[in-house]
Amino acid sequence: MINIKGLVKRYGRLTAVDGLTLDIEDNEVFGLLGSNGAGKTTTIHMLATLLKPTAGTATVNGYDIVSQPSKVRESIGIVFQAPSSDDMLTGYENLHIHALLYGVPSNGRKKRIEEVLELVGLADRKNDRVKTYSGGMRRRLEIARGLLHKPKVMFLDEPTLGLDPTSRETMWRYVRRLVEEEKVTIILTTHYMEEADMLCDRIGVIDKGRIVALDTPANLKASLGGDIIRIKTPTKNALEIASKFDFVHKAEMKDGFLVLAVKDARRSLPAILQGIEAESAEFASPTLNDVFIQLTGRNIKEEPEGGFMEKFAKYD
């Protein structure tokens, strides 16, 4: 559905996207993860034809982002970080205006508006002004708007940023539902690791404008070597003893703790403790945040990367 080859975007001496090459499949939920300034939003803006690349090529639904921008825009829907619906209009009125702008045929316009309102759970609030909507409802209205013209691709740029945990989980359910019912490909950027883990079929970790890892969430977590066990022990040769177990993939002393990477901590820990005296012991399964730290050397921040206009103005 999306084919990217050597995509580059420079702002003067700053390279925001550096030779990005990537394929995204039809009906896939693809997560693009990166810290602030990593190049996520810039990449989406190029694919959405809001920015022209400095070099490289990309196609969306078979259309070139530079030579066929109108066809690309017909093929995509976008939900930006900041909601842009009109507060003084009702949900239905907002969608009706955008149906006109998108060229949704008049003979099916009302039915399509009703369909997308039902899909995002706003049918019973369609005649209420948007200013009465909660943050989560506004985001769902933005998704409904992006779906009006039946796009092949949806770009969701930080779709749950600023929402409370309950609203975020509600949004996750609607994202999964639109993939199943609308058969749409989704490109998702997020700072929330659990969101990426829950929703994405594959994840690309972007750092300094380059993809540094690309795989399923499960495989990315498995790449760290399994579960992590931390043991506080007075046993002097604990590292030597632990290293002899065939289920221990990696063993090291770190900050006064024996740290082990094992396949299954629940089964491995009792065996380890038979040979090592422990003052304390704990274990945890790796998370996507652990993967991100391993790949980039830093924690991902749960804050917005900054909108397109702010980014553009900075380098104008």
Side-chain angles (χ1 to χ4, degrees):
M1 182 56 65
I2 296 178
N3 177 253
I4 305 170
K5 293 183 179 179
L7 204 61
V8 176
K9 183 60 183 179
R10 298 190 186 95
Y11 299 96
R13 289 177 294 176
L14 174 68
T15 301
V17 176
D18 189 8
L20 191 67
T21 296
L22 179 67
D23 288 330
I24 298 174
E25 303 300 327
D26 186 19
N27 205 213
E28 178 177 27
V29 180
F30 185 87
L32 196 58
L33 303 186
S35 57
N36 292 348
K40 307 186 305 295
T41 300
T42 301
T43 298
I44 283 185
H45 285 146
M46 285 191 286
L47 294 176
T49 75
L50 296 175
L51 280 175
K52 285 189 177 181
T54 305
T57 62
T59 60
V60 177
N61 193 30
Y63 300 114
D64 188 272
I65 61 172
V66 175
S67 62
Q68 299 171 292
S70 295
K71 289 294 186 181
V72 171
R73 292 178 185 182
E74 290 175 5
S75 302
I76 65 174
I78 306 177
V79 176
F80 290 112
Q81 291 176 14
S84 56
S85 298
D86 192 310
D87 282 358
M88 299 305 293
L89 298 179
T90 67
Y92 187 94
E93 289 167 343
N94 268 281
L95 295 183
H96 184 259
I97 287 174
H98 284 276
L100 295 173
L101 293 173
Y102 281 130
V104 177
S106 58
N107 59 351
R109 191 176 299 147
K110 182 177 180 180
K111 180 182 177 182
R112 182 57 181 165
I113 293 174
E114 296 287 354
E115 284 176 350
V116 295
L117 282 168
E118 183 65 34
L119 181 67
V120 300
L122 290 176
D124 60 338
R125 296 291 302 273
K126 66 180 181 180
N127 294 320
D128 295 342
R129 289 188 179 186
V130 173
K131 67 179 183 179
T132 67
Y133 286 11
S134 67
M137 291 170 66
R138 290 184 180 217
R139 293 292 173 87
R140 280 148 50 196
L141 183 63
E142 301 277 324
I143 289 179
R145 187 180 67 185
L147 288 170
L148 276 171
H149 59 303
K150 297 187 177 181
K152 294 292 187 180
V153 178
M154 281 285 287
F155 294 103
L156 304 183
D157 194 8
E158 304 282 358
T160 64
L161 188 69
L163 300 184
D164 61 78
T166 301
S167 297
R168 190 176 301 140
E169 289 188 13
T170 299
M171 181 69 78
W172 294 349
R173 289 198 297 271
Y174 286 117
V175 169
R176 269 297 172 195
R177 186 177 174 186
L178 72 92
V179 171
E180 294 169 2
E181 296 187 15
E182 294 287 318
K183 306 302 181 185
V184 64
T185 299
I186 291 181
I187 292 83
L188 171 78
T189 72
T190 181
H191 281 86
Y192 299 115
M193 295 292 99
E194 72 276 17
E195 182 166 277
D197 203 351
M198 176 76 68
L199 293 177
C200 297
D201 299 310
R202 285 191 305 152
I203 288 172
V205 178
I206 187 170
D207 188 43
K208 298 177 182 178
R210 295 182 177 181
I211 294 290
V212 295
L214 176 65
D215 214 325
T216 65
N219 286 344
L220 287 173
K221 289 183 288 185
S223 69
L224 294 185
D227 296 341
I228 303 298
I229 295 175
R230 296 175 77 249
I231 302 173
K232 183 73 172 178
T233 175
T235 305
K236 293 184 178 180
N237 61 337
L239 182 61
E240 180 183 350
I241 294 172
S243 298
K244 292 180 180 179
F245 289 101
D246 56 8
F247 52 74
V248 174
H249 306 307
K250 182 180 179 182
E252 62 179 337
M253 295 300 301
K254 190 174 183 180
D255 300 326
F257 284 84
L258 174 64
V259 181
L260 309 173
V262 301
K263 184 176 181 180
D264 186 342
R266 292 182 183 275
R267 293 186 177 183
S268 304
L269 184 56
I272 294 169
L273 294 181
Q274 287 181 5
I276 297 174
E277 183 182 350
E279 296 175 359
S280 66
E282 59 185 34
F283 67 88
S285 298
T287 66
L288 283 179
N289 198 50
D290 295 326
V291 174
F292 190 86
I293 293 172
Q294 179 76 16
L295 292 169
T296 67
R298 56 186 178 276
N299 230 319
I300 194 165
K301 294 180 180 179
E302 295 186 349
E303 58 183 82
E305 186 173 332
F308 165 66
M309 293 308 296
E310 290 85 354
K311 184 182 289 292
F312 185 83
K314 184 176 179 181
Y315 302 105
D316 190 15

